[in-house]
């Protein structure tokens, strides 16, 4: 039996690592563990957690890497004497849009996992597709055009699913697999998103896709909260049965598999709450208030429509932390300390030098390549190293503000920027973020907001059954703290620079 006072576990399978955070009944973090794919599982040969194929558009990750990472994560928690018996519930998240293809008969393997073997040994032959397409994949332009055509155009598709066709979205990835590898598709009995895949591992059964993550597939009728048959038919035959029925994001899927009870000492009553995508999970971990903006471009906006209603919007970008790391390696000897010195050696505005750094095809704008401009708006081939460092940071932060303003954001006296992810622990990068937005930047004690959000969601999932709201669950959660404030009158620099950035982005987009 579990001891008095329970724990709640959040798990995050991101692009580069698998992380876990446990909280107690008072929402305090009591444990954190991670497995870094490139470092801890080098036998899979990934770079930054993925395989980029020769066409530079196809990007995948081996499914068994993720399975073996969960083996390693739980073993590390066990070695650290984490008390699994106190877990009341768990939930989690996965990088959005990625897909996993379970082979015929895999359900029986999941339901009958012997506790004397590791997960990756048990599931080694359970997948029809060995390499899962992930969110960085841009190889499905043809399938996107076909999907839009089949429903009467991009606007009609957006009216149904909430988005025009995007190359990374799961429906288009499924269509490509059905077209290029039809035998693999025929052998598939269930298709999971990365989020519902990890939930399935814990559940010992196929886990339902939640509404939130399911809405990023170009397959769901977002008003009916169910799959659109027109979209399904346009992608692959028999797809509805392979996906299963979607469920609300707070749903209790069942109790954890007996495998975890016997092998790790989980409480047999520990509930598995529906897993979701990394963006909504991050949102759950941030506790945005009206007028806030998060560093991944979540906005909580208030609009006077008869009565005040709250809307949450977000933009995501591919070229983020990995692009910063590349410039760090090229221009700062691979050292964050040297990177910080370069930032401090240059002034806000970078003397008019401005850059666009897209190592892979960006989502918005759909552009690839490095594009540098001097103060006269002339394109140049390179910058001095310290100028390059500031240019990549300022360019990323200006992009965040530019797209935030397109959604209706404006800086007010009470505006807060909530930073998360690896950059949230770097005060020099946060200073540029604060300066560009002309608003204070807040952070939490943990940088893993998605993982923390899922630990919160795990607790709320138990309480939602009795009608308790997520806000009620979170009322005693620790508040974020001010990390940096904007420099005085810095908006006089970045205000004009923002308008110039948008004009140059238009030029880059048209030229590409």
């Amino acid at each position: 039996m579990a001891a008095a006072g329970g724990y709640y576990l959040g798990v995050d399978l991101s692009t580069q690592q698998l992380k876990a955070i446990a909280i107690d009944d008072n929402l305090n973090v009591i444990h954190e563990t991670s497995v870094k794919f490139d470092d801890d599982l080098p036998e899979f040969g990934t770079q930054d957690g993925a395989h980029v194929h020769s066409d530079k558009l196809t990007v995948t990750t081996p499914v068994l890497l993720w399975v073996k990472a969960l083996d390693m994560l739980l073993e590390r928690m066990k070695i650290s004497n984490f008390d699994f018996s106190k877990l009341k519930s768990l939930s989690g998240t996965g990088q959005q849009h990625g897909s996993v293809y379970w082979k015929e008969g895999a359900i029986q393997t999941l339901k009958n996992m012997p506790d004397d073997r590791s997960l990756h040994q048990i599931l080694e032959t359970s997948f029809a597709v060995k390499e899962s397409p992930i969110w960085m994949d841009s190889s499905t332009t043809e399938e996107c055009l076909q999907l839009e055509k089949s429903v009467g155009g991009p606007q009609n598709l957006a009216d149904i699913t909430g988005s025009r066709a995007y190359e990374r979205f799961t429906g288009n990835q499924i269509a490509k697999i059905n077209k290029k590898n039809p035998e693999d598709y025929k052998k598939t009995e269930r298709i999971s998103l990365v989020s519902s895949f990890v939930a399935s591992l814990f559940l010992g059964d196929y886990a339902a896709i939640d509404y939130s993550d399911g809405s990023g597939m170009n397959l769901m009728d977002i008003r009916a909260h169910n799959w659109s048959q027109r979209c399904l038919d346009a992608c692959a035959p028999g797809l509805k049965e392979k996906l299963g029925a979607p469920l609300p994001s707070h749903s209790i899927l069942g109790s954890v598999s007996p495998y975890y009870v016997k092998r790790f000492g989980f409480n047999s009553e520990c509930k598995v709450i529906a897993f979701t995508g990394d963006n909504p999970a991050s949102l759950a971990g941030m506790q945005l208030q009206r007028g806030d903006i998060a560093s991944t471009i979540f906005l909580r906006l208030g609009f006077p429509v008869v009565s005040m209603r709250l809307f949450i919007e977000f933009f995501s970008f591919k070229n983020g932390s990995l692009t910063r790391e590349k410039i760090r390696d090229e221009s700062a000897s691979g050292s964050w300390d040297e990177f910080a010195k370069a930032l401090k050696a240059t002034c806000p505005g970078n003397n008019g030098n401005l850059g666009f750094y897209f190592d892979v095809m960006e989502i918005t704008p759909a552009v690839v390549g490095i594009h540098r401009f001097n103060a006269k708006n002339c394109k140049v081939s390179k910058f001095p190293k310290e100028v390059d460092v500031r240019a990549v940071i300022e360019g990323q932060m200006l992009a965040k503000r530019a797209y935030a303003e397109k959604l209706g954001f404006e800086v007010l006296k009470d505006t807060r920027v909530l930073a998360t992810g690896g950059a949230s622990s770097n005060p020099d990068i946060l200073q540029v973020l604060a300066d560009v937005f002309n608003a204070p930047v807040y952070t939490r004690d943990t940088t893993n907001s998605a993982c923390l959000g899922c630990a919160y969601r795990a607790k709320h999932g138990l309480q939602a059954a009795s009608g308790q709201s997520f806000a009620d669950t979170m009322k005693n959660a620790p508040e974020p703290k001010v990390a940096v404030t904007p420099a005085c009158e810095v908006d006089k620099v970045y205000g004009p620079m923002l308008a110039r950035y948008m004009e140059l982005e238009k030029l880059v987009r048209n030229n590409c």
Side-chain angles (χ1 to χ4, degrees), residues 44-95:
F44 290 95
T46 56
Q47 183 173 357
D48 299 318
H51 290 152
V52 179
H53 295 233
S54 57
D55 63 0
K56 305 299 183 184
L57 298 175
T58 304
V59 185
T60 62
T61 297
V63 186
L64 282 177
L65 178 151
W66 294 335
V67 178
K68 196 169 184 178
L70 182 55
D71 282 325
M72 189 174 289
L73 183 88
L74 294 174
E75 289 292 346
R76 287 181 175 178
M77 294 178 72
K78 184 177 181 179
I79 291 170
S80 71
N81 294 318
F82 180 80
D83 190 352
F84 290 103
S85 72
K86 296 184 72 174
L87 282 176
K88 290 183 177 180
S89 59
L90 63 90
S91 189
T93 178
Q95 49 180 289

Side-chain angles (χ1 to χ4, degrees), residues 37-46 51 62 65 68 72 120:
F37 301 147
D38 292 1
D39 296 339
D40 295 323
L41 296 164
E43 63 268 31
F44 290 95
T46 56
H51 290 152
L65 178 151
K68 196 169 184 178
M72 189 174 289
H120 77 275

Side-chain angles (χ1 to χ4, degrees), residues 99-117:
S99 46
V100 175
Y101 301 78
W102 297 91
K103 188 188 293 185
E104 291 173 341
I107 185 65
Q108 295 305 319
T109 305
L110 267 177
K111 289 184 174 181
N112 298 283
M113 295 189 292
D115 62 275
D116 61 344
R117 299 176 66 201

Side-chain angles (χ1 to χ4, degrees), residues 328-339:
R328 176 203 63 190
D329 295 343
E330 294 176 351
S331 300
S333 304
S335 166
W336 284 118
D337 288 339
E338 293 300 317
F339 193 93

Side-chain angles (χ1 to χ4, degrees), residues 60-372:
T60 62
T61 297
V63 186
L64 282 177
L65 178 151
W66 294 335
V67 178
K68 196 169 184 178
L70 182 55
D71 282 325
M72 189 174 289
L73 183 88
L74 294 174
E75 289 292 346
R76 287 181 175 178
M77 294 178 72
K78 184 177 181 179
I79 291 170
S80 71
N81 294 318
F82 180 80
D83 190 352
F84 290 103
S85 72
K86 296 184 72 174
L87 282 176
K88 290 183 177 180
S89 59
L90 63 90
S91 189
T93 178
Q95 49 180 289
Q96 291 184 256
H97 315 300
S99 46
V100 175
Y101 301 78
W102 297 91
K103 188 188 293 185
E104 291 173 341
I107 185 65
Q108 295 305 319
T109 305
L110 267 177
K111 289 184 174 181
N112 298 283
M113 295 189 292
D115 62 275
D116 61 344
R117 299 176 66 201
S118 63
L119 287 170
H120 77 275
Q121 291 172 330
I122 297 168
L123 298 172
E124 188 173 9
T125 61
S126 294
F127 305 103
V129 177
K130 307 298 184 186
E131 292 268 341
S132 286
I134 64 170
W135 68 279
M136 296 172 69
D137 189 286
S138 302
S139 66
T140 62
T141 300
E142 184 178 327
E143 288 75 19
C144 288
L145 294 173
Q146 177 58 39
L147 176 59
E148 290 180 341
K149 181 180 179 181
S150 69
V151 298
Q155 184 59 57
N156 284 350
L157 183 63
D159 290 342
I160 297 168
T161 70
S163 301
R164 67 169 177 83
Y166 282 100
E167 282 81 356
R168 69 191 188 280
F169 276 26
T170 322
N172 307 303
Q173 296 291 339
I174 294 170
K176 177 187 172 184
I177 286 175
N178 177 57
K179 183 188 299 181
K180 302 290 178 62
N181 304 99
E183 289 304 313
D184 290 343
Y185 181 77
K186 288 178 182 177
K187 293 176 184 176
T188 299
E189 71 177 13
R190 185 66 171 244
I191 299 174
S192 296
L193 294 180
V194 177
S195 57
S196 61
F197 158 71
V198 187
S200 299
L201 296 181
F202 279 107
L203 193 62
D205 198 351
Y206 292 146
I209 294 171
D210 84 299
Y211 290 163
S212 180
D213 212 6
S215 67
M217 299 172 71
N218 275 148
L219 293 176
M220 178 180 282
D221 183 327
I222 58 173
R223 293 173 178 80
H225 293 166
N226 211 335
W227 309 121
S228 162
Q229 194 61 51
R230 294 174 68 190
C231 296
L232 295 175
D233 292 343
C235 291
L239 188 49
K240 188 172 186 178
E241 291 73 23
K242 294 180 188 290
L243 292 174
L247 290 177
S249 303
H250 59 263
S251 300
I252 298 175
L253 302 178
S255 297
V256 72
S257 165
Y259 174 86
Y260 301 93
V261 178
K262 296 173 183 176
R263 188 173 177 89
F264 297 101
F266 274 65
N267 176 5
S268 62
E269 296 300 313
C270 175
K271 301 302 181 187
V272 179
I273 311 302
F275 282 38
T276 192
D278 50 4
N279 283 316
S282 288
L283 188 60
M286 289 179 183
Q287 300 169 257
L288 266 66
Q289 301 174 10
R290 188 172 65 248
D292 287 351
I293 182 169
S295 59
T296 43
I297 307 302
F298 291 101
L299 299 170
R300 189 159 183 172
L301 306 171
F303 295 98
V305 185
V306 183
S307 60
M308 183 64 73
R309 300 168 60 200
L310 292 178
F311 295 83
I312 296 172
E313 302 279 358
F314 74 88
F315 270 101
S316 59
F317 301 93
K318 286 185 183 179
N319 296 275
S321 61
L322 296 182
T323 302
R324 292 192 294 271
E325 289 172 12
K326 183 178 179 181
I327 297 299
R328 176 203 63 190
D329 295 343
E330 294 176 351
S331 300
S333 304
S335 166
W336 284 118
D337 288 339
E338 293 300 317
F339 193 93
K341 289 179 182 177
L343 271 179
K344 292 174 182 175
T346 49
C347 61
N350 214 8
N351 292 317
N353 296 297
L354 207 157
F356 300 82
Y357 297 79
F358 304 129
D359 292 321
V360 295
M361 181 69 72
E362 188 50 86
I363 299 168
T364 308
V367 172
V368 69
I370 311 301
H371 310 271
R372 299 178 176 93

